[in-house]
Structures are given as structure tokens and as C-alpha cells.
Amino acid sequence: LGACLWEIASQTPWALRVGRTCCLSAVTADMLRSRWSRLPNRSKMLEMAHGAGLFKIGSSCGELLRDDELMWSSQYMPNGAYKFWSLGCPKRDFKELAHTLGRQTPGLTAAILGCGLGVDVAYLAQQFCCDGTSPSGNCAVAGIDFAATAIDRAVRDFGDTPGVFFYHADVCELQSPTTPLDMVIDNTVFQNVRNSDDGNGEVRYFQALNRISTPGHTVLYLNLMSKEGVERRPEFTACMEELDLPLVQQSEIVQAFNSDWTIHSISEGLYDLRPEGAGLECDAFYTYGGAATPGIPSWSVLLLRRDK
């Protein structure tokens, strides 16, 4: 479950390859390290980002929150629904990816879009630290979310982690980072903005994604709730009728990211969700993900920003 990928050669249409490997193979990890190492003055940039962060975003203290910000911020209040998607530990598939990259990668700059309570941000940064406090290689990991309550808790719980930076901001309004990002991790922001009230969410998302990524350098990791994965498992039917989840089809992902990104690999994975957090009892979440990491099928996608 979530352990196999369809590896895609850069010169070959992704749908034509059927070779199966583990979630992030050693070969793929080495390819990413080689890709990132070509950046001029990389060591100096990593050192600067580790100390100063990745974005210049002013404080929003005292500003009025928009309706969507208020809605998401309310979900992270004590009686909010955040326990549905925030299980208190790193997401299972993300944890495997981060652990594999952290073994030999000499530093990393990354941004997690829709970071929530910051658990994944801190975990990623800690993969580049010997003991969780002293950097073995410089890294800078930014967590961005426009739920003010989530960012407040993330700063409280993980703000002292070396190389970790949290920003209260709208992902779709992000400007260019101070240092090129090696990796961008999207925690279902794409799925949510596609259905925005103004109908312009997807356009704004890709404009921001292009601003914060570097052609020929940045890697994008998506973990998006799979429409096909849920629909072909009848045990989820009753639960899904009570939930309004932004499920996405594989073909929609391929079409949406076709202009500036090359899909390197795509697989069925796990999107961690605890049904009790939404007031539901549904064994299917545990049957699929396990007792410690319940959830639903996802599309786990690794994409490479194309050269201009």
C-alpha cells in the first residue's frame, strides 16, 4: 500500500512506464541530489537561508482576516475539526520520503504549503540534524498556512527547531523566496483552491507556484486525495456520503501540471485522516491505512520543474 511507484523516465510519457520500485528509490533520491547540487553558490545560499528564512513576509498581527481565513482558523480552535486531518505525527508517506532524502542530502531548502500545525515541517528539518538540535547540514524549511491559529500553535511547538520558519500567509500570494527552493510540498492546497468561490483559485495557485519554484531545479511533491482510489473501494461509500472531500482524479493532476512540470513518478498512497475527528465511525480508514495511520487512498506524485 503506497509502496510502489510508476517510475517515469524524463524522455518517456509517464503512462507508458510500468516498472515498479519503492516509494522513493535510492536512484531517484540520488537524481534529486544531483539536480540540486548544480545550483551555483548552493552552500552559501543554504547557510543564509538556515539563519534568515526563505520568505520576506510582514507580520499580519492586527489585520482583519478574510472569510476563508476565518473559516480555516476556526477549525484549529479546541473544538474545531482539525483532528480529522492532523493526527499529531508526520504523514506516513511524507515521513518515508523525508527520511530517504535526509540520509545523504547535504542540506535542503523546502516549503510546505498548507502546513497546519507544523508537524511535517519540523520532521523534515530534523532529518538534516544529528540530534534534532545541531545542524549536520544547513537546511531551511518553511511552513505556510493562512489559518492563524494553526501557525500560532506551530510556532509555539516547533518554532525553536533549527532551520524551521513559519509564515501566516495565503499560499496563492507568495512571492519569490530569498533562496531557490529545492522542494515544494503541497499538503492538498491544490485540491482546495480548485473549488474557490471566485473561480480563480487554480490560476492564482499556479502563478504562485511558478514564482516560488526555479526552472530546472525545484521538485514538487503532491499528496492528493484520490477520487479513483475511494470510488473503487465500496467500504468507503457510506463514509464519503457524509463528507465533502475535495477528491481529485489522476487525469486532472496530469492535465493541470502539464505546462511547467514533468511528472517523474505517480503512485497510489495514503492520505492520513482520522474519521473520529469528523464525528464519524468508519473502519475503512483503518483497514486501508492501519491503526496508527488511518486514512484514504491518495495520489502521491513527484514532479520536476522544467527548464525554461
Side-chain angles (χ1 to χ4, degrees), residues 195-218:
N195 300 314
S196 61
D197 292 338
D198 62 7
N200 200 37
E202 187 170 325
V203 172
R204 295 177 59 242
Y205 171 87
F206 279 107
Q207 289 173 341
L209 193 59
N210 283 350
R211 288 194 297 269
I212 68 174
S213 61
T214 300
H217 180 81
T218 303

Side-chain angles (χ1 to χ4, degrees), residues 127-305:
Q127 300 314 297
F128 299 86
C129 301
C130 295
D131 57 5
T133 58
S134 303
S136 59
N138 286 319
C139 71
V141 183
I144 303 101
D145 206 301
F146 70 0
T149 47
I151 290 296
D152 287 346
R153 288 184 57 181
V155 171
R156 182 195 69 190
D157 294 340
F158 304 111
D160 292 333
T161 305
V164 162
F165 303 88
F166 292 107
Y167 302 94
H168 173 222
D170 183 342
V171 164
C172 294
E173 295 178 0
L174 287 174
Q175 301 302 309
S176 299
T178 57
T179 300
L181 296 177
D182 299 329
M183 178 168 276
V184 175
I185 298 101
D186 181 347
N187 188 18
T188 71
V189 172
F190 170 68
Q191 284 182 279
N192 285 296
V193 300
R194 293 176 73 226
N195 300 314
S196 61
D197 292 338
D198 62 7
N200 200 37
E202 187 170 325
V203 172
R204 295 177 59 242
Y205 171 87
F206 279 107
Q207 289 173 341
L209 193 59
N210 283 350
R211 288 194 297 269
I212 68 174
S213 61
T214 300
H217 180 81
T218 303
V219 175
L220 174 64
Y221 173 70
L222 306 171
N223 190 26
L224 306 175
M225 293 179 259
S226 167
K227 184 176 179 65
E228 297 98 322
V230 168
E231 289 182 345
R232 68 169 169 261
R233 292 175 171 83
E235 60 270 27
F236 281 107
T237 301
C239 301
M240 291 300 144
E241 289 177 352
E242 299 186 46
L243 296 170
D244 184 22
L245 297 179
L247 305 177
V248 65
Q249 294 179 331
Q250 185 187 82
S251 60
E252 293 173 325
I253 300 170
V254 174
Q255 181 177 359
F257 288 87
N258 184 56
S259 295
D260 298 297
W261 299 84
T262 296
I263 295 181
H264 176 76
S265 58
I266 186 167
S267 67
E268 186 174 76
L270 170 74
Y271 194 87
D272 311 51
L273 293 169
R274 192 179 302 279
E276 292 82 1
L280 295 175
E281 293 185 6
C282 184
D283 291 341
F285 286 73
Y286 293 92
T287 301
Y288 186 78
T293 56
I296 66 173
S298 72
W299 289 120
S300 183
V301 191
L302 198 67
L303 306 100
L304 312 178
R305 178 76 195 272

Side-chain angles (χ1 to χ4, degrees), residues 66-148:
R66 302 193 314 246
D67 289 344
D68 49 1
E69 292 180 89
L70 284 170
M71 186 277 290
W72 282 105
S73 292
S74 69
Q75 300 305 317
Y76 287 94
M77 298 294 283
N79 294 325
Y82 73 92
K83 293 180 182 178
F84 179 41
W85 60 82
S86 296
L87 275 59
C89 58
K91 292 179 175 58
R92 193 183 71 181
D93 289 2
F94 170 80
K95 184 177 180 179
E96 181 180 345
L97 179 143
H99 179 66
T100 302
L101 280 179
R103 289 172 182 167
Q104 299 180 25
T105 304
L108 184 78
T109 56
I112 298 184
L113 312 181
C115 69
L117 298 178
V119 176
D120 290 344
V121 177
Y123 184 82
L124 183 58
Q126 288 165 354
Q127 300 314 297
F128 299 86
C129 301
C130 295
D131 57 5
T133 58
S134 303
S136 59
N138 286 319
C139 71
V141 183
I144 303 101
D145 206 301
F146 70 0

